[in-house]
Amino acid sequence: MNYLKQVVLLLACFFLSLNLIAQSHPSLMLTKVKLEEVRKGCQSYPLLKSSFQKIIADADLAISLPITVPIPKDGGGGYTHEQHKRNYNAMLNCATVYQISKDIKYANYVKNMLLDYANQYQKWPVHPKSKNQKDGGRIFWQSLNDFVWQVYTIQAYDLVFDALTTKDRTTIEQNLFMPILNFFTVDRQEVLDKIHNHGTWNLAAVGMTGYVLNKPEYVEMALKGSKKDGKTGYLAQINQLFSPDGYYMEGPYYQRYALLPFVMFAKAINNYEPELKIFEFRNKLLAKAIQTALQLTYTNKAFFPINDAIKDKTYESIELVYGLNIAYTDIKAEADLLDIAQQQERVIVSDAGLAVAKAIAEGKSEPFKYKSLWIKDGGNGDEGGLGILRSGANTNQQCLILKAASQGMGHGHFDRLNFLFYDNNQEIFYDYGAARFLNIDTKNGGGYLAENDSWAKQTVAHNTLVVDQTSNFKANVTAADAQHPDLMNFSAHPDLQVVSAKEENAYADVKLLRTVALVKVTESNKPLLIDVFQASSANEHQYDLPFWYKGQMVNTSFKVDAQRNNLQALGTQFGYQHLWLNAQNQLDENGGFVSVLNNKRFYTTHFVSDNPLQVKLVSIGANDPEMNLVDGKAFMLTQPKAKNQTFVNITETHGNIDPINETVSAASGNLTDLKLISSDENKTVISFKIKDKKYQYQINYNQKDNYVVLSQ
Amino acid sequence: MNYLKQVVLLLACFFLSLNLIAQSHPSLMLTKVKLEEVRKGCQSYPLLKSSFQKIIADADLAISLPITVPIPKDGGGGYTHEQHKRNYNAMLNCATVYQISKDIKYANYVKNMLLDYANQYQKWPVHPKSKNQKDGGRIFWQSLNDFVWQVYTIQAYDLVFDALTTKDRTTIEQNLFMPILNFFTVDRQEVLDKIHNHGTWNLAAVGMTGYVLNKPEYVEMALKGSKKDGKTGYLAQINQLFSPDGYYMEGPYYQRYALLPFVMFAKAINNYEPELKIFEFRNKLLAKAIQTALQLTYTNKAFFPINDAIKDKTYESIELVYGLNIAYTDIKAEADLLDIAQQQERVIVSDAGLAVAKAIAEGKSEPFKYKSLWIKDGGNGDEGGLGILRSGANTNQQCLILKAASQGMGHGHFDRLNFLFYDNNQEIFYDYGAARFLNIDTKNGGGYLAENDSWAKQTVAHNTLVVDQTSNFKANVTAADAQHPDLMNFSAHPDLQVVSAKEENAYADVKLLRTVALVKVTESNKPLLIDVFQASSANEHQYDLPFWYKGQMVNTSFKVDAQRNNLQALGTQFGYQHLWLNAQNQLDENGGFVSVLNNKRFYTTHFVSDNPLQVKLVSIGANDPEMNLVDGKAFMLTQPKAKNQTFVNITETHGNIDPINETVSAASGNLTDLKLISSDENKTVISFKIKDKKYQYQINYNQKDNYVVLSQ
């Protein structure tokens, strides 16, 4: 066995060398064999044509300016940082235009810039703004950006390779790329071997450079880690960073980001070594990861902003353009991917982009198939996951996400069993995302703000239960990483979609179990969102359940009497220090409701519990001396002292206003008489009326097949 | 002379009777003579076709439901209110579809509903929710809505007239329309004779009904007032409510609203009595009013929300659809109006709508010509006005409005010399508008909230100077109505657009003079907004100049150290009681700056003054027990004690962020060294550098021709 393994390895190395010797340029995204067809496509297929025209415009702008390769100095968002980013984009754009147009001036621009870098690179020490010696870059403040720079730059080099003299190639390879490979694999070896997105970018840069420079030993390091033992490296990363469903443990924002080096390097591997069948690896894992990334978006195009996430990031970002083009062309030509490509409004000027633009031009596009899904988390798929429930057409979709995934390391938030709710192309109950102004130098250099830890990661910043004003796992990442929620039930039945999950470790002596459902009833155009949150403990606790809403509160069952002056913070830690307590009401056992107007539609949340609730109205902004936080408002259901507590709430979507025609319809909800009949470890039973028709809704925690039952 | 007048009057009456006798149906928006052409156009011109299809859909929905004419009970937004609104729309839609399709079922629906109203109307007393006996309606809580109801309903009646038996006509006219005419002209005579938009709706209803029912005495009352002496009535209203530039003193929101009865009635007059040449009246005043209404919008389609205004009201509203269709067809066929019609995405299914849809189908549309304008206010055009400066293409327009208009009666705000600033299709420095949730029954019945008086109307809620924390005219409407600002200078020169105005009566002993300009310099893509605000007094005062901004503050020249807890209201009255004081800084004589990120673009406001300034960061929300106010933030420049004070500020538009591609450019401004060199009653001189080039900017208050000079 051990002997056999060695043989296979040897054999693999043999093929590797063989292929590399026979290589031609370009051979990455754009290949020599497809060049003529892509050239023609840039004239004839509208999406490829407009994408190419955009690249020409960018390339022409670049070559109209002097080549500027400044000595690295500034952090994220600062001048030298942005200039070096502009440079790699300019090189790739010019190199692409050179191959399509055959105009040598574009190749010369790339050549001259590469020579400029080659002339300087070895003089640059680790970046002066680097935070530590372990992961500082030389061009950028963090080595991550250096890896990205190289992933793009090596493509540009591959594209202009044929236009360079042997002397220039030697200069560029010896003075720039080889020192870079050395920096990445020796100085940043620890990063290379890390099972983490920084590691992916490093190895993709190393592997792609290895292919283009015909240095198989670097390709091997990229695939199998610096020790070439397969314990780290590309294949190990695919195995460990993604769940069997293609979910990336850090969440959608980083899934998108991590995806690009995986996909680009896969394409390179597939071009150079098709016999490795990399796209088939781990049961077509890369295809799943791309599909899952798209399923982790709402119809507003944005990724679900769970964990550390910049909220305006959408599937229009370049990572998903590459991902989609390659998924369609190299993995499986699914017609609904073309819909997304049309929304992206661009393709990569490449072999893959050609195929996508051609298919769209041929009218093959179909509406994207958003799905209701349980997406498993964890390398083995056994560490919780994300439940996604959807209802309605793509133009008017309701979507509910239950976050029951693992912690996701340092970028994870302490929001076990958090939910997000969307409708009408808007956030209804939302996630704050990260406290960060990406690339805004004046805001902590564009990095994460202190409030990301003190606020955005804390449990109370989410739509989930907080016990004793303390975050899950007391906001300890190591403790949180060791535990995960578990799925109780999932059903995508169109009339009654359910996801239910439990978390028994976030608090020492409290078990959490949440069951959310989109429930169709004939009396309402839109499904009801029914949410039952059980907290069970042998001891007494305070339970807070906030609902972070967008829009304007326009009605409440209780009289709001907000604090007029001397506004106070609600607490001192775990995010509570950032909340202003605007108002507070004690309700009776009948519960109450809150109505919100959001994008011309009404949302009324009715709530009841087994113990009378308090409702607190809170807003973001206390203890924020630099005013880093973004405004936000929540209503928070509070039970100051109970052992077991079941929060029941139903959100109905109703009516609308038309400010143009000055009309309003169904401003009041149709749901009444919400009652919690019973709740224990076996079942929860509630009842409610809608337009005077009575319904009973029952959750059977121990019955897999009749987990949730709606009856009249 | 008196004799002659009587003759003319008699003659007019003669013609009037003559025409009315010879009348045919329909004769209002849709006329018998054009019917066949409109029918064909509904098949062939896309915009008319889609507009008609929408009406068919609405009509079909209406006739699929039982006719419901409830006894009036609810206030604005409530069930019976909305049902009666739905009814008049349903009748007009069905009546229109009847005439186009000739399908009698639509006429029968209208007939049956009219008979239902005729059977009930006389039993209805003044509406139980009416606020007083003077202006309560019978169908609605205020008679205004009854007038509107009748303006639409009489059109429906006119359209189905030929389909009704003589008996049904008699029933409807005797039991519904004649009692309505009696109610409007006798019980609501005071409203009819009021020079006010309620009066306009009343007389349009009376006049249009008079034409259709062939009751010339009612037409005459509509034209000349209940006493038929011309002191009130339609012509008097045109003379008094509009300035010679077609500006309606209450502001754009009410201009839009008031316009509809003027335009509809004008069309009726023109059809029945073309010899009156109503569209020529007062130098084509109605055409100017329609054009001015369009010029009072920004490229986001919304009206400038000065005075009491619902902010999401746009030129898509039905009033402007009617106005535009009639302006194009009956007054002057200006090609750029077609652009707006395309944005409105509908035409009225009518003679006028036919012409517009036809012209668009023939490709005659041109981009709408937004202008830089001084729009005079006051019946004689001598009561101040609005200055509008614009720069750039319609897709990327910068727009600055200086409000130097008269008070505008009860809906006016105390915001003399307020400015609004727009760019990139967004509000940059904005106006709060009205504190009102239109038609949201749970928010004070959809009417103006208490906070409209306590906050929205107050000076500090605007981007203008507040003296001694007291509003203009101590917020007394009568005092404010008696005074108006005056124009000092206006120039629409594309490189240096200026509007300058003074207000000398808003405060007992302080004179205010503000000069705003959009100034092009070669170093900046976008013009600089240069704002010089002089306050002059013999006595010492506190001066506060707030800037209400949208977006996120991302940089300041001073260290922000916001209040961490125990947030306090800034004052006790004149709107200050609603402001939270978040932070406060004392600056030195060099002034400072604030940078805001808004819709991915940066705006940096640099400021300096002759005395060192304080900067206060404030937000809306204090003393708002029902949480009626909408969130908002401002930076406020404060001078606690000075006699004369000149606030100089320059706002530069720069850079951008691209969250999809994660790039940022020019996050820092290019302007430095802003200095106030001198300022007195003759001139203000300032200097600044931009990209190290020095400029001097001088205002010569006494020189008409060189009022503002920019030099290097």
Side-chain angles (χ1 to χ4, degrees):
Chain A
M1 179 70 181
N2 220 22
Y3 177 70
L4 190 68
K5 205 171 171 183
Q6 283 182 348
V7 171
V8 173
L9 266 173
L10 273 170
L11 216 66
C13 287
F14 176 72
F15 277 120
L16 204 67
S17 316
L18 200 74
N19 277 298
L20 290 178
I21 288 161
Q23 76 181 13
S24 64
H25 299 275
S27 279
L28 294 172
M29 297 305 130
L30 198 56
T31 62
K32 199 161 195 165
V33 64
K34 281 279 181 183
L35 253 177
E36 205 44 50
E37 203 181 329
V38 175
R39 282 185 190 125
K40 281 183 191 147
C42 285
Q43 312 268 327
S44 49
Y45 304 129
L47 197 54
L48 185 60
K49 189 175 179 181
S50 60
S51 301
F52 180 56
Q53 279 164 347
K54 174 81 178 58
I55 286 180
I56 293 182
D58 289 351
D60 284 340
L61 177 64
I63 66 173
S64 75
L65 301 169
I67 286 174
T68 308
V69 178
I71 297 171
K73 188 168 74 68
D74 304 322
Y79 167 69
T80 70
H81 181 96
E82 292 298 322
Q83 182 61 33
H84 288 293
K85 280 174 76 175
R86 273 191 290 273
N87 282 352
Y88 71 66
N89 279 309
M91 284 193 280
L92 182 54
N93 287 332
C94 287
T96 304
V97 174
Y98 161 69
Q99 279 294 0
I100 305 298
S101 71
K102 302 183 193 173
D103 186 337
I104 192 72
K105 74 177 176 195
Y106 296 104
N108 286 339
Y109 176 87
V110 179
K111 178 188 73 182
N112 291 331
M113 188 176 280
L114 286 172
L115 288 170
D116 199 336
Y117 273 103
N119 185 41
Q120 296 193 64
Y121 183 79
Q122 292 177 89
K123 300 174 205 160
W124 294 339
V126 171
H127 196 284
K129 285 273 171 74
S130 66
K131 298 214 167 141
N132 60 60
Q133 284 294 319
K134 275 190 181 172
D135 70 0
R138 284 167 74 172
I139 307 177
F140 300 95
W141 68 279
Q142 61 174 348
S143 60
L144 170 64
N145 298 90
D146 285 45
F147 309 146
V148 175
W149 186 93
Q150 179 62 10
V151 164
Y152 284 91
T153 301
I154 194 63
Q155 292 181 61
Y157 179 70
D158 181 44
L159 288 162
V160 301
F161 186 91
D162 289 338
L164 303 179
T165 62
T166 311
K167 180 165 168 277
D168 286 340
R169 287 182 201 153
T170 307
T171 305
I172 292 163
E173 295 190 8
Q174 292 313 314
N175 296 339
L176 182 60
F177 293 142
M178 288 310 295
I180 281 176
L181 283 177
N182 194 57
F183 180 63
F184 289 6
T185 58
V186 178
D187 302 78
R188 293 296 169 262
Q189 182 212 321
E190 208 173 304
V191 183
L192 180 74
D193 288 341
K194 209 172 171 181
I195 305 292
H196 182 277
N197 80 67
H198 291 206
T200 320
W201 280 100
N202 187 342
L203 65 84
V206 169
M208 290 165 74
T209 307
Y211 278 129
V212 172
L213 267 54
N214 196 3
K215 302 280 181 194
E217 65 273 28
Y218 286 99
V219 175
E220 205 181 347
M221 270 195 262
L223 288 170
K224 299 175 187 165
S226 67
K227 296 195 187 65
K228 303 178 187 172
D229 58 5
K231 286 185 183 162
T232 66
Y234 187 69
L235 303 178
Q237 291 216 3
I238 294 182
N239 276 327
Q240 293 177 52
L241 281 177
F242 292 96
S243 81
D245 288 344
Y247 179 73
Y248 183 76
M249 65 187 319
E250 292 186 292
Y253 177 78
Y254 280 97
Q255 168 135 5
R256 164 204 60 80
Y257 189 63
L259 207 54
L260 188 53
F262 276 108
V263 169
M264 280 184 168
F265 189 32
K267 177 78 173 163
I269 295 167
N270 202 50
N271 287 353
Y272 281 90
E273 303 183 83
E275 67 282 4
L276 287 185
K277 295 192 187 300
I278 188 67
F279 289 121
E280 299 293 321
F281 186 70
R282 204 186 167 200
N283 198 15
K284 296 200 178 180
L285 194 280
L286 287 173
K288 280 184 199 160
I290 295 166
Q291 262 290 353
T292 295
L294 292 173
Q295 292 294 345
L296 291 170
T297 64
Y298 180 57
T299 58
N300 63 0
K301 305 185 183 181
F303 291 97
F304 301 138
I306 53 175
N307 291 337
D308 282 349
I310 304 295
K311 292 195 71 172
D312 41 12
K313 187 61 87 176
T314 71
Y315 62 55
E316 294 157 303
S317 69
I318 192 73
E319 299 90 348
L320 268 287
V321 181
Y322 274 99
L324 186 139
N325 288 187
I326 290 171
Y328 183 85
T329 308
D330 296 292
I331 310 180
K332 194 174 175 196
E334 291 178 284
D336 71 328
L337 290 176
L338 302 175
D339 180 13
I340 301 288
Q342 286 171 294
Q343 304 294 327
Q344 290 173 332
E345 294 183 352
R346 59 174 169 170
V347 290
I348 306 301
V349 177
S350 66
D351 301 5
L354 169 75
V356 169
K358 182 166 181 278
I360 290 171
E362 290 166 352
K364 292 183 177 166
S365 179
E366 289 175 10
F368 182 67
K369 295 188 185 75
Y370 289 101
K371 291 173 189 153
S372 293
L373 285 172
W374 170 254
I375 298 175
K376 294 191 289 288
D377 191 8
N380 296 317
D382 56 1
E383 298 178 35
L386 283 183
I388 304 175
L389 309 182
R390 307 201 195 237
S391 174
N394 288 4
T395 50
N396 187 12
Q397 187 189 82
Q398 207 163 59
C399 180
L400 180 70
I401 298 99
L402 181 70
K403 190 195 181 210
S406 69
Q407 186 67 20
M409 304 183 294
H411 288 304
H413 286 196
F414 300 96
D415 60 345
R416 298 291 161 99
L417 309 188
N418 180 24
F419 78 16
L420 311 185
F421 184 49
Y422 296 84
D423 183 54
N424 194 22
N425 225 30
Q426 305 292 320
E427 295 181 317
I428 309 303
F429 297 127
Y430 74 103
D431 194 309
Y432 186 90
R436 181 184 189 187
F437 295 95
L438 189 67
N439 289 331
I440 308 285
D441 202 24
T442 51
K443 287 291 190 183
N444 191 32
Y448 290 100
L449 299 162
E451 290 75 14
N452 196 53
D453 285 330
S454 67
W455 166 250
K457 284 183 177 175
Q458 300 297 328
T459 309
V460 76
H462 303 83
N463 306 304
T464 191
L465 200 74
V466 192
V467 178
D468 299 331
Q469 297 207 0
T470 304
S471 285
N472 300 165
F473 303 98
K474 295 180 182 161
N476 180 304
V477 183
T478 313
D481 260 329
Q483 304 289 349
H484 56 80
D486 286 300
L487 178 67
M488 294 288 289
N489 196 270
F490 176 82
S491 166
H493 187 289
D495 287 340
L496 211 170
Q497 302 187 57
V498 184
V499 57
S500 178
K502 64 179 178 181
E503 167 57 60
E504 304 195 334
N505 300 292
Y507 294 101
D509 62 344
V510 184
K511 293 181 176 177
L512 307 176
L513 169 53
R514 188 174 211 173
T515 307
V516 292
L518 291 183
V519 181
K520 279 195 189 164
V521 291
T522 51
E523 293 74 20
S524 174
N525 294 330
K526 286 271 186 176
L528 304 173
L529 158 53
I530 304 184
D531 172 28
V532 176
F533 205 137
Q534 262 194 356
S536 316
S537 179
N539 307 304
E540 284 184 329
H541 294 284
Q542 177 180 334
Y543 297 116
D544 290 339
L545 181 59
F547 291 80
W548 289 98
Y549 66 88
K550 289 279 173 91
Q552 189 76 22
M553 196 173 67
V554 290
N555 198 13
T556 49
S557 61
F558 46 91
K559 184 173 165 48
V560 174
D561 185 18
Q563 188 68 25
R564 287 158 166 80
N565 206 345
N566 307 309
L567 201 58
Q568 302 295 314
L570 183 55
T572 57
Q573 56 179 350
F574 294 116
Y576 281 75
Q577 73 275 26
H578 292 301
L579 294 180
W580 296 117
L581 177 59
N582 295 109
Q584 186 164 0
N585 282 69
Q586 178 65 50
L587 305 184
D588 63 19
E589 65 280 357
N590 294 316
F593 69 81
V594 168
S595 292
V596 171
L597 177 65
N598 180 341
N599 191 31
K600 309 182 181 67
R601 214 174 260 183
F602 296 94
Y603 300 87
T604 296
T605 303
H606 307 261
F607 34 80
V608 72
S609 187
D610 29 21
N611 305 299
L613 292 167
Q614 294 172 359
V615 184
K616 295 189 175 99
L617 302 178
V618 297
S619 53
I620 300 173
N623 288 292
D624 177 23
E626 296 179 20
M627 297 180 80
N628 284 332
L629 291 170
V630 174
D631 293 340
K633 285 190 156 74
F635 56 91
M636 183 192 275
L637 309 180
T638 293
Q639 173 49 245
K641 212 172 179 185
K643 291 178 179 175
N644 297 327
Q645 173 89 8
T646 301
F647 292 87
V648 175
N649 59 81
I650 301 185
T651 298
E652 54 169 333
T653 303
H654 58 95
N656 73 291
I657 63 161
D658 178 346
I660 304 300
N661 295 314
E662 299 200 355
T663 56
V664 61
S665 73
S668 298
N670 297 309
L671 196 141
T672 56
D673 298 279
L674 176 60
K675 288 191 174 63
L676 173 58
I677 295 169
S678 70
S679 189
D680 58 30
E681 68 272 31
N682 296 314
K683 64 176 195 281
T684 295
V685 184
I686 68 170
S687 69
F688 57 88
K689 284 184 186 170
I690 183 156
K691 290 188 180 168
D692 293 325
K693 188 156 149 195
K694 194 170 173 184
Y695 284 94
Q696 183 169 302
Y697 176 89
Q698 179 164 337
I699 310 173
N700 303 304
Y701 297 113
N702 300 320
Q703 294 183 32
K704 202 179 164 217
D705 290 334
N706 286 305
Y707 195 81
V708 168
V709 179
L710 181 75
S711 53
Q712 288 180 25
Chain B
M1 181 68 181
N2 219 20
Y3 177 70
L4 190 66
K5 205 171 170 184
Q6 285 184 347
V7 171
V8 173
L9 266 174
L10 271 170
L11 216 65
C13 288
F14 177 70
F15 277 121
L16 203 70
S17 315
L18 200 74
N19 275 297
L20 291 178
I21 287 161
Q23 77 181 13
S24 64
H25 299 277
S27 277
L28 294 171
M29 297 304 130
L30 197 57
T31 62
K32 198 159 196 167
V33 64
K34 282 277 181 184
L35 253 176
E36 206 42 52
E37 204 183 328
V38 176
R39 282 186 190 125
K40 282 183 191 146
C42 285
Q43 312 268 326
S44 48
Y45 304 128
L47 197 54
L48 185 59
K49 189 175 178 178
S50 60
S51 301
F52 180 57
Q53 279 164 345
K54 174 84 177 56
I55 285 180
I56 293 183
D58 289 351
D60 284 341
L61 177 63
I63 65 172
S64 75
L65 301 170
I67 286 174
T68 309
V69 179
I71 297 172
K73 187 168 73 73
D74 303 323
Y79 166 69
T80 70
H81 181 96
E82 293 297 323
Q83 182 61 34
H84 287 293
K85 280 173 77 175
R86 274 192 289 273
N87 282 350
Y88 72 66
N89 279 309
M91 283 192 281
L92 182 52
N93 288 332
C94 286
T96 303
V97 174
Y98 162 67
Q99 279 294 358
I100 305 298
S101 71
K102 302 185 193 171
D103 186 338
I104 191 71
K105 75 178 174 193
Y106 296 103
N108 286 339
Y109 176 87
V110 179
K111 177 188 74 180
N112 291 331
M113 188 177 280
L114 286 172
L115 288 171
D116 199 337
Y117 272 102
N119 183 41
Q120 295 194 64
Y121 183 78
Q122 294 178 87
K123 299 175 206 158
W124 293 340
V126 170
H127 195 286
K129 285 273 171 74
S130 66
K131 296 214 170 140
N132 59 59
Q133 283 294 318
K134 275 188 181 170
D135 71 359
R138 284 166 74 172
I139 306 177
F140 299 96
W141 68 280
Q142 60 174 350
S143 59
L144 170 63
N145 298 89
D146 285 44
F147 309 147
V148 176
W149 186 94
Q150 179 62 10
V151 164
Y152 284 91
T153 301
I154 195 62
Q155 293 181 60
Y157 180 69
D158 181 44
L159 288 162
V160 299
F161 187 91
D162 289 339
L164 303 179
T165 62
T166 310
K167 179 165 168 273
D168 285 342
R169 286 182 203 153
T170 306
T171 304
I172 292 163
E173 295 191 8
Q174 291 312 313
N175 296 339
L176 182 61
F177 294 142
M178 288 310 297
I180 282 177
L181 283 177
N182 193 58
F183 180 64
F184 288 6
T185 59
V186 178
D187 302 77
R188 294 294 168 263
Q189 181 211 321
E190 208 174 303
V191 183
L192 181 75
D193 288 340
K194 210 170 171 182
I195 304 292
H196 182 277
N197 79 67
H198 291 204
T200 321
W201 280 100
N202 188 340
L203 66 82
V206 168
M208 290 165 74
T209 307
Y211 278 128
V212 173
L213 268 53
N214 195 4
K215 303 278 181 194
E217 67 273 27
Y218 285 101
V219 175
E220 205 181 347
M221 272 195 259
L223 287 170
K224 298 175 187 165
S226 67
K227 296 194 187 65
K228 304 178 186 174
D229 59 5
K231 286 185 181 162
T232 65
Y234 187 68
L235 303 177
Q237 292 215 4
I238 295 182
N239 277 325
Q240 293 177 51
L241 282 177
F242 291 96
S243 81
D245 287 345
Y247 179 73
Y248 183 76
M249 64 188 317
E250 293 185 292
Y253 176 77
Y254 280 98
Q255 168 135 6
R256 164 203 59 79
Y257 189 63
L259 208 54
L260 188 54
F262 276 108
V263 169
M264 280 186 169
F265 190 32
K267 177 78 173 162
I269 295 168
N270 202 49
N271 287 353
Y272 280 89
E273 304 183 81
E275 67 283 3
L276 287 184
K277 294 191 186 302
I278 189 66
F279 289 120
E280 299 294 321
F281 185 70
R282 204 184 167 201
N283 199 15
K284 295 198 180 183
L285 194 278
L286 287 173
K288 281 186 197 158
I290 295 165
Q291 263 289 353
T292 295
L294 292 173
Q295 291 295 344
L296 290 169
T297 63
Y298 180 57
T299 58
N300 63 0
K301 306 186 184 180
F303 291 96
F304 301 139
I306 54 175
N307 292 336
D308 282 348
I310 303 296
K311 293 193 71 173
D312 41 14
K313 187 60 88 176
T314 72
Y315 62 54
E316 294 157 303
S317 68
I318 191 73
E319 299 89 348
L320 268 288
V321 181
Y322 273 100
L324 187 138
N325 287 188
I326 291 171
Y328 183 84
T329 308
D330 296 293
I331 310 180
K332 196 174 174 196
E334 292 178 284
D336 71 328
L337 290 176
L338 302 175
D339 180 12
I340 301 289
Q342 286 172 293
Q343 304 294 326
Q344 290 173 332
E345 295 183 352
R346 59 174 169 170
V347 290
I348 306 300
V349 177
S350 66
D351 300 5
L354 169 76
V356 169
K358 182 167 181 279
I360 290 170
E362 289 166 352
K364 292 183 177 167
S365 178
E366 289 175 10
F368 183 67
K369 295 187 184 77
Y370 289 100
K371 292 173 188 153
S372 294
L373 286 172
W374 170 254
I375 298 174
K376 294 192 288 289
D377 191 8
N380 297 316
D382 57 0
E383 297 179 35
L386 284 183
I388 305 174
L389 309 180
R390 306 200 194 238
S391 175
N394 288 3
T395 50
N396 187 11
Q397 186 189 82
Q398 209 163 57
C399 180
L400 180 69
I401 297 99
L402 182 69
K403 191 196 179 208
S406 68
Q407 186 67 19
M409 306 183 291
H411 288 304
H413 287 195
F414 300 95
D415 60 344
R416 298 291 159 98
L417 309 187
N418 179 25
F419 78 17
L420 311 186
F421 185 47
Y422 295 85
D423 183 54
N424 193 23
N425 225 29
Q426 305 292 321
E427 295 181 317
I428 309 304
F429 297 128
Y430 74 101
D431 194 309
Y432 186 89
R436 180 184 189 187
F437 294 95
L438 190 66
N439 288 333
I440 308 285
D441 201 25
T442 51
K443 287 291 191 183
N444 191 31
Y448 289 100
L449 299 162
E451 289 76 14
N452 196 52
D453 284 329
S454 67
W455 165 251
K457 285 183 177 174
Q458 300 297 328
T459 309
V460 75
H462 302 84
N463 306 304
T464 191
L465 201 73
V466 192
V467 178
D468 299 331
Q469 297 207 0
T470 305
S471 284
N472 299 165
F473 302 99
K474 295 179 182 161
N476 178 305
V477 183
T478 313
D481 260 328
Q483 304 288 349
H484 57 80
D486 287 298
L487 178 67
M488 294 288 289
N489 197 269
F490 176 82
S491 167
H493 188 289
D495 287 340
L496 209 170
Q497 302 187 55
V498 184
V499 56
S500 178
K502 65 179 178 180
E503 167 57 61
E504 304 196 336
N505 300 292
Y507 295 101
D509 63 343
V510 185
K511 293 181 175 178
L512 308 176
L513 169 52
R514 188 174 212 173
T515 306
V516 292
L518 291 183
V519 181
K520 279 195 188 162
V521 293
T522 51
E523 293 74 20
S524 173
N525 294 332
K526 285 273 185 174
L528 303 174
L529 158 53
I530 304 186
D531 172 29
V532 177
F533 205 136
Q534 263 195 355
S536 316
S537 179
N539 307 305
E540 285 184 327
H541 294 283
Q542 177 179 335
Y543 297 117
D544 290 339
L545 182 59
F547 292 79
W548 290 97
Y549 65 89
K550 289 279 171 93
Q552 189 77 20
M553 197 171 67
V554 291
N555 198 12
T556 50
S557 61
F558 46 90
K559 184 172 165 50
V560 174
D561 186 17
Q563 189 69 23
R564 287 158 166 78
N565 205 346
N566 308 310
L567 201 58
Q568 301 296 313
L570 184 55
T572 56
Q573 55 178 349
F574 294 115
Y576 281 75
Q577 74 275 26
H578 292 302
L579 295 179
W580 296 117
L581 176 60
N582 296 109
Q584 186 164 1
N585 282 69
Q586 178 66 51
L587 306 184
D588 63 19
E589 64 281 357
N590 294 317
F593 69 81
V594 169
S595 293
V596 171
L597 177 64
N598 180 342
N599 192 31
K600 309 182 180 69
R601 213 173 260 184
F602 296 95
Y603 300 87
T604 296
T605 302
H606 307 261
F607 35 79
V608 72
S609 187
D610 27 23
N611 305 296
L613 292 167
Q614 294 172 359
V615 184
K616 296 190 175 97
L617 303 178
V618 296
S619 53
I620 299 172
N623 288 293
D624 177 23
E626 296 179 19
M627 299 180 78
N628 284 330
L629 291 170
V630 174
D631 292 341
K633 284 189 156 72
F635 55 92
M636 185 192 274
L637 308 180
T638 293
Q639 173 48 246
K641 214 172 176 185
K643 291 178 177 172
N644 297 327
Q645 173 89 7
T646 301
F647 291 87
V648 175
N649 59 80
I650 301 185
T651 299
E652 55 169 331
T653 302
H654 57 95
N656 73 291
I657 63 161
D658 177 347
I660 304 300
N661 296 313
E662 299 200 357
T663 58
V664 60
S665 74
S668 299
N670 297 309
L671 196 140
T672 56
D673 299 280
L674 176 61
K675 288 191 173 63
L676 172 58
I677 296 169
S678 69
S679 189
D680 58 28
E681 68 273 31
N682 296 314
K683 63 176 195 281
T684 294
V685 183
I686 69 170
S687 70
F688 57 89
K689 285 184 186 170
I690 182 155
K691 290 188 180 168
D692 292 326
K693 187 157 150 195
K694 193 172 174 183
Y695 284 95
Q696 184 169 301
Y697 176 89
Q698 179 165 335
I699 310 172
N700 303 304
Y701 297 112
N702 302 319
Q703 292 183 33
K704 199 179 166 218
D705 289 334
N706 287 304
Y707 195 80
V708 168
V709 178
L710 181 76
S711 53
Q712 289 180 24

